[in-house]
């Protein structure tokens, strides 16, 4: 967690996969979710009170936000689809995630505070992976697998891609303010390295 000495991870409890949240200062551990099927942890809010995870329900991986402090569980995904990746905004009130629904890849935005889910993009030929969210919640860094230039920035206000990462770059990371990006460029003319560059300014 960004502002607390709290970590979350997957471990086995009684032989079952489980998501564990540990407060390193209080020296306490809480089982946030225990399931017979696979469990994956995708993030913590900045105070370490909420954990974003996927857990199999109805034979598919569903996205759950568990408020450990309040003992409350919120389902963010469509029960008909299987969630493949997710990112939680540090505030804990919104998230981006990707899923497979009936053989189609879908990119979603979840407004947790408002209790709604928005479909951002779909593809029948490729699948998505969510990689990052900027602090303003406007930009979503994602990957569309199976394409030549898979890494892109989605502008939630414009409801469209606003930037595509140069072909050949891998492992992109977005800065908190959404103005900088770091990428690994194995075949760059200046030599294989990690490069940092500015992203074009947002249009209002």
């Amino acid at each position: 967690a960004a502002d607390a000495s709290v970590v979350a991870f997957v471990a086995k409890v009684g032989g079952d996969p489980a998501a564990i949240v540990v407060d390193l200062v209080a020296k306490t551990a809480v089982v946030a979710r225990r399931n017979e099927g696979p469990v994956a942890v995708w993030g913590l809010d900045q105070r370490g009170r909420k954990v974003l995870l996927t857990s199999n329900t109805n034979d598919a991986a569903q996205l759950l936000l568990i408020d450990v402090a309040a003992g409350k569980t919120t389902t963010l995904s469509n029960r008909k689809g299987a969630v493949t990746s997710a990112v939680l905004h540090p505030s804990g009130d919104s998230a981006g995630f990707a899923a497979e629904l009936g053989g189609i890849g879908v990119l979603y935005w979840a407004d947790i505070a408002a209790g709604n889910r928005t479909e951002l993009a779909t593809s029948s030929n490729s699948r998505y992976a969510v990689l990052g969210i900027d602090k303003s919640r406007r930009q979503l860094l994602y990957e569309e697998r199976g394409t030549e230039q898979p890494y892109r920035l989605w502008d939630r206000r414009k409801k469209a891609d606003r930037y595509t990462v140069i072909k050949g770059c891998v492992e992109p990371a977005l800065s908190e303010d959404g103005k900088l990006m770091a990428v690994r460029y194995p075949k760059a003319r200046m030599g294989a390295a990690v490069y940092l560059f500015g992203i074009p300014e947002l249009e209002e």
Side-chain angles (χ1 to χ4, degrees):
D3 299 332
S5 298
V6 178
V7 295
F9 54 89
V10 174
K12 283 195 173 183
V13 175
D16 297 327
I20 314 295
V21 178
V22 177
D23 187 322
L24 301 171
V25 174
K27 296 182 179 179
T28 58
V30 176
V31 177
R33 180 78 175 183
R34 181 176 172 180
N35 205 47
E36 292 182 0
V39 176
V41 171
W42 295 103
L44 279 167
D45 74 328
Q46 60 194 20
R47 295 188 294 175
R49 296 182 179 182
K50 299 175 183 178
V51 58
L52 186 69
L53 56 87
T54 46
S55 177
N56 281 16
T57 60
N58 298 337
D59 299 321
Q62 297 301 302
L63 188 64
L64 309 174
L65 182 70
I66 297 179
D67 188 328
V68 177
K72 179 183 177 182
T73 299
T74 305
T75 302
L76 306 181
S77 59
N78 187 324
R79 289 186 177 275
K80 295 179 181 178
V83 175
T84 54
S85 65
V87 172
L88 181 66
H89 189 271
S91 64
D93 64 12
S94 49
F97 66 97
E100 291 185 22
L101 181 61
I104 296 174
V106 189
L107 189 66
Y108 289 101
W109 178 262
D111 187 331
I112 300 163
N116 58 45
R117 177 179 61 246
T118 305
E119 187 178 291
L120 303 179
T122 62
S123 174
S124 58
N125 300 317
S126 55
R127 299 294 179 267
Y128 299 104
V130 180
L131 305 174
I133 303 169
D134 69 354
K135 189 175 183 179
S136 70
R137 303 173 183 79
R138 180 168 171 178
Q139 300 178 100
L140 191 72
L141 176 63
Y142 75 97
E143 176 186 5
E144 185 176 359
R145 293 166 180 166
T147 60
E148 282 194 41
Q149 293 176 272
Y151 303 109
R152 299 168 194 164
L153 272 178
W154 181 271
D155 186 337
R156 293 183 54 240
R157 186 176 298 174
K158 300 287 185 178
K159 298 180 180 179
D161 289 331
R162 65 168 296 261
Y163 185 78
T164 301
V165 178
I166 297 170
K167 182 180 178 181
C169 293
V170 295
E171 300 174 18
L174 187 66
S175 66
E176 186 181 67
D177 61 9
K179 296 181 179 180
L180 297 172
M181 187 178 291
V183 297
R184 190 166 64 83
Y185 199 175
K187 297 182 180 179
R189 291 182 180 180
M190 295 183 291
V194 173
Y195 291 88
L196 181 69
F197 59 91
I199 300 169
E201 289 290 330
L202 281 161
E203 296 179 6
E204 297 302 327

